[in-house]
Amino acid sequence: MIGVIAFYLFSFLLLVSAFFVISARNPVYSVLFLILAFFNAAGLFVLLGAEFVAMILVIVYVGAVAVLFLFVVMMLDINFSDLRKGAMQFVPFGLALGGLLLAELVVLYSAWPEIPAQTAIDPAVAVDNTRALGAVLYTDYVFPFQVSGLILLVAMIGAIVLTHRTRSGVLRQKVAEQVSRQQSEAMTIQKVSSGAGVDHV
Amino acid sequence: MLELLIGLSENFWLQALAVVATIVVFAVIIMVFVAFVTYAERKVLGAMQRRQGPMTVGPFGLLQPFADAFKLLSKETIIPTQANRPVFFLAPILILSLALVSWSVIPVGAQLVLSNINVGVLFLFAVSSLGVYGVIMAGWASNSKYAFLGGLRSASQMVSYEVSMGLVIVTVILCTGSMNLSEIVLAERTWWMQLLLLPMLVIFLVSILAETNRAPFDLPEGESELSGGFMVEYSAGTFVLFFLGEYMNMVLMGAITTVLFLGGWLPPFGIDTLAFVPGPVWFVLKVCAVLFFFFWTRATFPRYRYDQLMRLGWKVFLPFSMAWVVVVAGALIYMNAVPAQG
């Protein structure tokens, strides 16, 4: 019973927050509702028994990606009401695109092959899904897995290369130089004769 | 622990009552503990600076935290006119509730854990990565430049140090072969494993200082440049929530360190003759040791500069912990000690 209540709660909140993501006037609210939507999706994953995927969803999307969204939305000085002014002229285009996707979904659903009856998994051999995912990812799919990792790395380095500028006149702290400085280079002891001042030193 | 409670009765409402009552008791115990942590910090700092600390309210000043809370709650809550009200109130509630939620998976004793889930470590990591939202939302909703800058600083700081914290957790998982917190505590660790994990403990301790915005990494609230940081506009009751949340996060980070590195509820250094002392006592003592480390660093080190903080996180901790993951994995394979498949 709890499971059913939880399912309807999570899916209801997911749909409501997804609706507010696109309808909220304030872009910061949109991002906050997006976070709520991610969170409820993670709850649905937990109900499906995929706790590893749920936690990774929260860590990656909520903990990192959405933070960047929030940063961008808060920092960029964009007047969103100006952007929204001409939005109505794109409605036919949007409707056409949405209709196309819906039609594709319907075709896909009707062409879905019949699933053979599932045999119950023996709990004695059942492994927790972290192990199961790891066993598949690092054996059968190790090449696609590593390649996708490499693509992400390339994207990251590319972003840095594209945005990095070397500016002249910037003072930088060079920690290695500071640490390797010797007492002999940093100071000298001078004997000052009394009454002569320090001018002659 | 909750499974045990549910087993006591067939009646759904009785089960629900038992579960809710346990959670409330757990939360109240943690709240009271946190209140005394604030007292302990002032006493420890006082002792390190050769003064008395709080000593007038109650015996040895023991009731001081309650007096402070009462004072703050009886004050007027001021809301800036330009503030975004819903988000302004949501932020402190979020911080406090996230700090409380994490306690549901912390094993305080052998069977004393509210919910013994298989991905406990990931759950803790996920919830602690949400803490950054409370800070950003507070900074943004206050509609003040000091609060906003403080929020941004804190957000980038927390995101940066989470990366190396994640890698540290990976090495612990490699050595113990489980993401279940109780199993991590019970997993056998040979002497060379503990030696390999020692530098990770150091990195983890420094990272949790940065993660909880504590001295010497308390830049988000550096009072000399940002007055009060992201919580500068908060007063009275909302400030109490932030304050409690910060200290609860400290206690939580202490508990995570205890579970991952210090052996949880087991007696220290594997001395079996000390096993007659109940597990939760050892757990609390170990958490207190980590908390003392928090206070000690606060009394000892000056505040870091912001670029130094970022350099430490990205250029020192991240490469080192990445390399150390490889070293630990290699050592486990070389010593033929990879944890058995569950």
Side-chain angles (χ1 to χ4, degrees):
Chain A
M1 183 169 123
I2 288 283
V4 176
I5 295 173
F7 170 76
Y8 281 110
L9 183 74
F10 283 136
S11 17
F12 175 73
L13 283 177
L14 177 62
L15 291 175
V16 169
S17 46
F19 174 73
F20 277 117
V21 171
I22 51 172
S23 65
R25 289 256 158 218
N26 190 334
V28 173
Y29 283 0
S30 286
V31 178
L32 292 178
F33 276 115
L34 185 67
I35 293 160
L36 192 61
F38 282 146
F39 213 73
N40 284 299
L44 287 178
F45 273 122
V46 170
L47 291 182
L48 288 173
E51 70 261 13
F52 183 76
V53 182
M55 293 305 152
I56 292 299
L57 182 75
V58 174
I59 292 172
V60 174
Y61 280 90
V62 182
V65 175
V67 174
L68 293 181
F69 281 5
L70 208 55
F71 260 39
V72 171
V73 168
M74 283 178 180
M75 299 285 285
L76 289 185
D77 188 24
I78 297 174
N79 194 342
F80 282 85
S81 53
D82 279 356
L83 277 181
R84 221 175 259 120
K85 261 175 199 157
M88 285 314 280
Q89 65 187 19
F90 296 114
V91 164
F93 180 68
L95 281 179
L97 206 66
L100 190 70
L101 283 176
L102 188 68
E104 276 183 350
L105 270 181
V106 170
V107 170
L108 187 73
Y109 183 72
S110 48
W112 196 264
E114 196 129 315
I115 303 162
Q118 293 277 324
T119 47
I121 301 165
D122 182 8
V125 294
V127 289
D128 58 277
N129 56 53
T130 317
R131 263 183 224 286
L133 271 175
V136 176
L137 270 187
Y138 286 98
T139 52
D140 298 347
Y141 296 99
V142 68
F143 184 67
F145 183 62
Q146 296 290 342
V147 167
S148 55
L150 201 66
I151 292 171
L152 287 175
L153 186 68
V154 169
M156 196 167 78
I157 295 172
I160 294 170
V161 169
L162 286 176
T163 55
H164 186 74
R165 306 176 279 167
T166 38
R167 277 170 294 187
S168 57
V170 177
L171 292 174
R172 262 178 226 288
Q173 183 183 22
K174 297 189 179 97
V175 175
E177 274 179 24
Q178 283 185 347
V179 172
S180 62
R181 214 158 76 125
Q182 298 293 317
Q183 192 189 356
S184 54
E185 317 162 19
M187 55 191 262
T188 54
I189 294 176
Q190 300 279 352
K191 183 81 180 163
V192 180
S193 48
S194 64
V198 288
D199 292 341
H200 71 284
V201 176
Chain B
M1 195 166 79
L2 291 182
E3 293 81 11
L4 269 175
L5 285 171
I6 290 172
L8 286 179
S9 162
E10 292 293 307
N11 188 324
F12 175 77
W13 295 110
L14 275 181
Q15 288 176 351
L17 185 74
V19 168
V20 172
T22 324
I23 293 172
V24 169
V25 168
F26 217 73
V28 167
I29 292 174
I30 293 164
M31 292 271 202
V32 173
F33 185 74
V34 167
F36 283 109
V37 168
T38 64
Y39 167 79
E41 169 167 45
R42 296 170 67 177
K43 272 290 186 195
V44 169
L45 282 181
M48 284 178 179
Q49 295 159 357
R50 307 204 64 181
R51 49 188 179 82
Q52 295 264 15
M55 54 174 293
T56 36
V57 189
F60 307 105
L62 268 172
L63 298 177
Q64 185 70 41
F66 302 103
D68 285 345
F70 187 70
K71 180 201 79 175
L72 281 167
L73 287 174
S74 62
K75 282 184 159 184
E76 183 193 355
T77 308
I78 300 164
I79 307 155
T81 43
Q82 293 300 309
N84 187 318
R85 274 170 170 260
V87 182
F88 188 79
F89 281 110
L90 199 60
I93 296 171
L94 190 75
I95 285 194
L96 188 67
S97 48
L98 284 177
L100 265 177
V101 160
S102 309
W103 280 96
S104 55
V105 294
I106 300 273
V108 183
Q111 295 297 323
L112 267 177
V113 49
L114 281 179
S115 160
N116 193 13
I117 60 174
N118 273 333
V119 285
V121 176
L122 286 181
F123 180 83
L124 280 180
F125 199 58
V127 173
S128 76
S129 69
L130 290 179
V132 62
Y133 285 110
V135 177
I136 304 186
M137 281 158 72
W140 178 78
S142 304
N143 217 339
S144 130
K145 55 177 176 278
Y146 293 126
F148 190 56
L149 286 176
L152 286 184
R153 273 192 183 185
S154 166
S156 42
Q157 174 176 339
M158 286 163 103
V159 170
S160 310
Y161 277 84
E162 235 155 53
V163 183
S164 53
M165 264 176 80
L167 287 169
V168 170
I169 291 175
V170 166
T171 54
V172 176
I173 295 173
L174 273 178
C175 288
T176 53
S178 173
M179 292 199 202
N180 184 313
L181 290 169
S182 302
E183 283 173 31
I184 285 179
V185 169
L186 291 173
E188 199 153 331
R189 300 182 190 194
T190 51
W191 63 269
W192 54 268
M193 259 187 215
Q194 302 197 346
L195 205 64
L196 280 175
L197 285 177
L198 194 62
M200 287 283 124
L201 173 63
V202 175
I203 289 187
F204 195 75
L205 282 176
V206 179
S207 297
I208 59 176
L209 285 178
E211 186 75 10
T212 50
N213 296 329
R214 289 285 302 180
F217 304 119
D218 54 347
L219 297 145
E221 43 198 286
E223 56 278 310
S224 52
E225 47 201 286
L226 287 179
S227 53
F230 59 87
M231 46 169 126
V232 67
E233 302 291 352
Y234 284 86
S235 56
T238 49
F239 177 77
V240 172
L241 292 184
F242 266 118
F243 195 72
L244 266 182
E246 182 185 333
Y247 279 83
M248 204 174 287
N249 264 326
M250 274 167 59
V251 179
L252 177 72
M253 287 298 168
I256 295 176
T257 318
T258 307
V259 168
L260 292 182
F261 292 100
L262 305 181
W265 66 85
L266 302 172
F269 306 113
I271 305 169
D272 289 331
T273 45
L274 290 174
F276 66 91
V277 181
V281 174
W282 284 127
F283 189 87
V284 171
L285 283 178
K286 286 171 178 177
V287 171
C288 287
V290 180
L291 288 173
F292 182 77
F293 164 78
F294 272 94
F295 307 151
W296 195 6
T297 46
R298 179 171 173 189
T300 314
F301 291 106
R303 187 175 293 136
Y304 254 52
R305 213 173 57 212
Y306 193 68
D307 61 312
Q308 293 172 330
L309 172 83
M310 284 295 151
R311 180 184 164 272
L312 184 71
W314 290 107
K315 293 188 178 172
V316 180
F317 282 0
L318 184 62
F320 182 80
S321 48
M322 262 183 181
W324 210 252
V325 170
V326 179
V327 169
V328 169
L332 285 173
I333 290 184
Y334 180 72
M335 305 293 275
N336 204 10
V338 180
Q341 299 285 311

